[in-house]
Amino acid sequence: MIGGLFIYNHKGEVLISRVYRDDIGRNAVDAFRVNVIHARQQVRSPVTNIARTSFFHVKRSNIWLAAVTKQNVNAAMVFEFLYKMCDVMTAYFGKISEENIKNNFVLIYELLDEILDFGYPQNSETGALKTFITQQGIKGQARRVCDLPKLSLVVHYCPQTKEEQSQITSQVTGQIGWRREGIKYRRNELFLDVLESVNLLMSPQGQVLSAHVSGRVVMKSYLSGMPECKFGMNDKIVIDKQGKGGTTDDPGKSGKQSIAIDDCTFHQCVRLSKFDSERSISFIPPDGEYELMRYRTTKDIILPFRVIPLVREVGRTKLEVKVVIKSNFKPSLLAQKIEVRIPTPLNTSGVQVICMKGKAKYKASENAIVWKIKRMAGMKESQISAEIELLPTNDKKKWARPPISMNFEVPFAPSGLKVRYLKVFESKLNYSDHDVIKWVRYIGRSGIYETRC
Amino acid sequence: MTDSKYFTTTKKGEIFELKAELNSDKKEKKKEAVKKVIASMTVGKDVSALFPDVVNCMQTDNLELKKLVYLYLMNYAKSQPDMAIMAVNTFVKDCEDPNPLIRALAVRTMGCIRVDKITEYLCEPLRKCLKDEDPYVRKTAAVCVAKLHDINAQLVEDQGFLDTLKDLISDSNPMVVANAVAALSEIAESHPNSNLLDLNPQTINKLLTALNECTEWGQIFILDCLANYTPRDDRESQSICERVTPRLSHANSAVVLSAVKVLMKFMEMLPKDLDYYGTLLKKLAPPLVTLLSAEPELQYVALRNINLIVQKRPEILKHEMKVFFVKYNDPIYVKLEKLDIMIRLASQANIAQVLAELKEYATEVDVDFVRKAVRAIGRCAIKVEQSAERCVSTLLDLIQTKVNYVVQEAIVVIKDIFRKYPNKYESVIATLCENLDSLDEPEARAAMIWIVGEYAERIDNADELLESFLEGFHDESTQVQLQLLTAIVKLFLKKPTETQELVQQVLSLATQDSDNPDLRDRGYIYWRLLSTDPVAAKEVVLAEKPLISEETDLIEPTLLEELICHIGTLASVYHKPPSAFVEGSRGVQHRRLPPRAGSGESAESSDVGQSGPSEAPSAVIPSQGDLLGDLLNLDLAPPTATVPSVQPSMQMGAMDLLGGGLDSLLGGDIGGSPSMGASLGAAPAAMPAALGGAPAVGGGLGDLFDLGGGVGMPTGAYIAPKTLWLPAMKAKGLEISGTFARRGGIIQMDLSLTNKAMSVMTDFAIQFNRNSFGMAPAGPLQVLTPLSPNQTIDVSLPLSTSGPVMKMEPLNNLQVAVKNNIDVFYFSCQYPISLLFVEDGKMERQVFLATWKDIPNDNEAQFQIKDIHLNSDAASNKLQGSNIFTIAKRTVEGQDMLYLSIKLTNGIWVLAEMRVQTGSPIYTLSIKCRAPEVNQFVCQCYELVLKN
């Protein structure tokens, strides 16, 4: 299991060092610094073996987090744990930065003591942790002077009553470790966000080389008690099953609107065996914001934009580029934050751009022409043309022609996913499904949306 | 003020200040001080001097302060064991605290204090905590048993904690179950044979129930534990699989991978015709693909595992090629792994797409990635025959880019394509030749030279091309030198008229001016082949080569099976068995997939198709120990060695290098030029002279072929224990230790070869450099079976002393070259000179006397040997065992005088007079020899023999 955990700043100075196992010595701290942080070349692997000791590392801004072991540990678990640790720290004190880590080192040690025992990860749900690790994180710059004395004195470890204590422990170890009992809201409310990122790789001729949507359903729940929820969407398998039963009013319509989900994963609150047998998604949600599910689809994706590139080399010192973008969704909808990035060769000396809509600029430092359009309705098209002057070089290597990439945001789900229902049942408290205020929102963003030219 | 201030105090006298603050009455000041101490500890300052003061702060009801003190204790208790006892009381008291959080904290911390005295006190509280009413305390106590076991395993067994831990598997709380499973698994790993984790259907059922209820981490512990279980039959196997499959939808990638591991393992037991088998296969693909949308580090772990899964069961992901296409912004480690998997999945159906992608990659920035992409194109050509033509034209396009490393890489792979499809794509040779000058990497140069040599008859200026390489022969790497030698010989055999000078030049460069034994020997072999029987030479050198196999980098099947059992773990990331990187007994157990049920196996392996591991044996594997084959081998991967073997019948002594055979090769058109023959003969004639003074001139090559090997016979001579000669680090995983022995008059080199690399090693051969006493292997290195990873093999190599002689420094130094399928490795070792003491070394008394007088006194050397507790007779007996013979003995004034003689293999006599003072442990030794250089070494032998 994990033998030790170190956090370094960008210079390789140790900010946090917690050793769990006897086989990890102090020299391990230095070995990682010398061999990885101070190594000149690019990181060639996130797992490094130095003198029979394995180091797993992840980087958050310029902070290095490294887990160390001498055993044959579960590598996937170690990385999942490192990510989880970052989440927990972020939940306590915000961004992971050198300043924040130094400010909160006592808290971090306390957390590390709790979520990792002898190198075995333990319950690391922030909701549960906050019930008994009650030091408050000290967040970045925005501190007011009057807060200071109080902050350094925070010990909210007020001796709880016996019931409270056992409630805490049963929550930390219990089956529903992500939610505590006795939550009460005056107004029961929930927000569902369907966030999708659509990825595309298209050939210069307009052939789709690969396309997929990776989506997430993020839920913010403000519900009292221990509500039992059931989530339904237009999953093809479910709709087809119901269709056979003859319960759908309009079989033709529902058949068209259902989507084929390649694969999905769920938050640990979802009863997986029930999904496996009945394909129904039922759960008791954590309080507040969390990610209910992730999914991936590859079939019948609505590609919101199409990019048509035309690059012509005029002699050795000039390039002509013309790019057309076409929006491909309902005219009533508006796409936002559109950005097209057209790469230019390294030996570019000057660029002239003409575009019909938006603003375009050549950014020499990024070796690209960046074309920005604030809003664009569906079923429209726009065009940019540019003349790129090149310096003559004797560099034999041809320009690699990186793909043209695009960023945008659209108010629908490119996969076609629709939320059909989210039912809430809480038998012990007197509110019903109808009393819960529900909000649903769809946002489609570009992932890696590239067209080769 | 925030906590960051604690990191900045560096002034002198800090410790004193802290001491004062720690003893302050004010609680706040105390806590501040402890925080400062912890901060200093973190940055590596030694604050152990404050131990008593910090421990004094432990008695507090402030939990934050308590935790800080505990943290300090865990770090320093070991260095201050006596002081640590002071803390025991508080721990024991805390274990009784009404607050379960405090009880758990105490038992958790106590387990981390690795002081024997404390562990004794830990037992009672731990016993109570294991039965605590609160699950939080129980789950902490479960892990504590593992901690205690790590410190004192015996104690844990004696106290019966293991049984309590087993009981916890049936606990009502899932997290307690998970931690108990984790602790038991770890303890079981260090006791490979114990029946600790006695998994039976009942416990499995409990684990599967807990699986649905515990935290993500707990699920991982349970799944990893389940993977160690072997179901009794296929029905049990299926029912476990059914209950594990829902985990594939978990958000935590580690849960998914561990579930995949269980399924991959248990699937082995399912009959292939079962419907469920097919369903399961289909269910595995989507979660594996989903892993690729995780963070890059996890993607890397997933890809390394997918690489294994694809080798084991290619059918799972055969339709998912596209997801492995490289994204522009992927980190380099993800890109390289994806590329590997793409090649594994390449098939006729998707080759067009793959090639288009690979071509894109070949224009990227990262040099390693580009190289790998170019190489991948070549591998596609070899794997999918239909695509070969397209691959070749893609490679030609890439060569046109003139990017140096792209060109070089392309040439290397084109050479492989020629090997696979002979006489098909030779039209591209002209294009290749244009790029000759830009090649600066040995591998590319060697490949190009091979191509020129192989197709010499089609390249008009082949001789010029090769000649241009010859100019800087000595600056080339061995790989290139060997290739050049072979290529020029090929050229000579194809175009004998114009190239005699060239071949002579290269042969003399290889045999006379080179220090590399491989090169020299290959040179000699060609030379003798050419001079004795050029027709045979032609048959040997220009023999038809077997086609190369398509998959060259498959993991060896048994290793693959083991790695499949380790999916998700470090072993699967490194592609090495745990024993290769874990110290001690942990993880040394080899895991195997369960035996397959039913008879579906044979059907399956043929279904698996081209890339299935079952195809692996069809690769060309050279016959073992075929030294000759190896020398003629082209040094191109994969090895090919089925060259018709040449009977080593020729005698080096026969100087008839101008045998009539050459005429037959040269035919009529050269008949009238005797000068050529003469000049060819001149160089070898000079060669024996170069060997200089060797007693048995001409044995040099003969020895290579002398097959008289044998098993050693025991004698009384002392044999030193084996020492490490070649560490694995220096030899790509091959470790050699060895010693020398003289058994029944035969000198033997006893070697232990250990394979510490991942891949199988084959084709061992050994050679010695010239040495002081002409030692040379008397037979080939008998390694008959391939050496698999982690295997050690012991061999005895008989040695002769009729090899070429060269004085070494030190005298008994021996430089050895060992070769295997991976590379050639060099090391040197020193042999005890007693090896060379022959059995007929007993001199006549009279001769002894005369010789003693005859040797000038300057040659005499005196030594003292200390700490010998033998009387003179015992010593005499002992020495005789090592062929040191006592000629006479006389007693003068309480001193025994022994007169001894030794004869070395090269005929040198060493005489000695040994004085033994009765009762004194010091022997005085006078040695006289005509070659005084050996005196010192002989004395060492006396000492060694007498002391052992």
Side-chain angles (χ1 to χ4, degrees), chain B residues 661-872:
Chain B
L662 197 59
D663 297 336
S664 63
L665 175 72
L666 299 172
D669 46 306
I670 192 89
S673 85
S675 63
M676 176 260 155
S679 58
L680 191 62
M687 187 195 65
L691 293 179
V697 180
L701 250 172
D703 281 340
L704 257 178
F705 301 116
D706 185 353
L707 296 166
V711 194
M713 283 167 275
T715 100
Y718 165 68
I719 300 166
K722 284 182 181 168
T723 47
L724 183 65
W725 285 342
L726 181 68
M729 297 249 297
K730 285 192 177 166
K732 303 186 181 170
L734 176 66
E735 190 180 81
I736 299 181
S737 56
T739 185
F740 291 91
R742 189 180 178 93
R743 299 189 183 97
I746 294 167
I747 305 172
Q748 285 181 326
M749 187 177 195
D750 293 347
L751 294 165
S752 290
L753 309 174
T754 307
N755 181 354
K756 299 213 160 170
M758 283 162 39
S759 55
V760 179
M761 295 181 177
T762 55
D763 311 318
F764 285 94
I766 193 164
Q767 281 185 351
F768 295 171
N769 196 358
R770 284 184 277 187
N771 53 71
S772 314
F773 294 95
M775 284 227 265
L781 193 58
Q782 301 276 351
V783 185
L784 296 176
T785 45
L787 191 57
S788 39
N790 279 314
Q791 193 192 347
T792 299
I793 197 166
D794 290 321
V795 274
S796 269
L797 180 73
L799 305 181
S800 73
T801 49
S802 47
V805 172
M806 184 173 81
K807 192 176 166 191
M808 298 298 292
E809 190 58 48
L811 205 61
N812 59 344
N813 196 25
L814 181 64
Q815 293 176 339
V816 183
V818 169
K819 175 184 157 111
N820 62 11
N821 58 331
I822 296 167
D823 207 336
V824 182
F825 311 107
Y826 304 93
F827 63 89
S828 61
C829 53
Q830 296 182 356
Y831 50 89
I833 222 161
S834 59
L835 279 184
L836 307 163
F837 299 174
V838 297
E839 276 71 13
D840 60 346
K842 189 157 185 170
M843 210 176 220
E844 290 291 334
R845 277 175 170 235
Q846 296 306 318
V847 185
F848 183 89
L849 228 81
T851 321
W852 185 270
K853 280 182 188 157
D854 202 21
I855 299 174
N857 279 342
D858 292 347
N859 284 11
E860 183 174 350
Q862 272 216 352
F863 301 93
Q864 284 203 326
I865 305 176
K866 291 176 185 156
D867 292 319
I868 307 288
H869 303 283
L870 294 168
N871 64 28
S872 57

Side-chain angles (χ1 to χ4, degrees), chain A residues 15 21-22 44 54 72-73 75 80 83 103 109-110 114 117 120 122 124 157 169 209 263 265-266 296, chain B residues 2-4 42 67 101 114 134 136 147 179 186 217 249 251 253 286 290 297 322 368 568 570-571 574:
Chain A
L15 304 177
R21 297 267 173 153
D22 215 27
R44 298 310 267 200
S54 299
N72 181 30
V73 297
E80 283 284 4
Y83 300 143
N103 282 339
Y109 277 124
E110 192 176 348
E114 188 57 46
D117 190 5
Y120 289 107
Q122 305 291 309
S124 42
Y157 212 95
T169 56
L209 295 175
D263 187 41
T265 60
F266 295 99
R296 186 166 46 84
Chain B
T2 64
D3 289 351
S4 63
T42 299
K67 283 184 179 174
L101 292 166
R114 306 177 59 93
D134 194 292
Y136 183 76
K147 292 179 188 168
N179 275 4
E186 177 163 350
W217 314 116
S249 308
S253 309
T290 300
E297 292 87 4
K322 276 189 183 176
D368 283 349
L570 261 182
Y574 292 146

Side-chain angles (χ1 to χ4, degrees), chain B residues 366-439:
Chain B
D366 190 283
V367 177
D368 283 349
F369 180 61
V370 171
R371 283 174 181 276
K372 200 164 183 173
V374 176
R375 218 159 259 233
I377 298 175
R379 276 172 65 187
C380 285
I382 289 165
K383 194 172 172 191
V384 185
E385 188 164 356
Q386 292 80 0
S387 74
E389 194 156 349
R390 234 177 315 172
C391 293
V392 172
S393 78
T394 309
L395 287 169
L396 283 180
D397 286 350
L398 290 173
I399 289 178
Q400 299 300 347
T401 62
K402 305 275 178 197
V403 179
N404 188 285
Y405 52 86
V406 174
V407 173
Q408 309 213 35
E409 209 64 41
I411 286 182
V412 172
V413 297
I414 286 184
K415 173 212 66 195
D416 285 340
I417 296 177
F418 284 173
R419 290 289 311 278
K420 170 84 180 178
Y421 310 108
N423 304 319
K424 229 171 159 183
Y425 301 110
E426 280 73 13
S427 52
V428 307
I429 290 177
T431 323
L432 301 186
C433 290
E434 285 165 20
N435 293 285
L436 214 60
D437 300 334
S438 61
L439 308 180

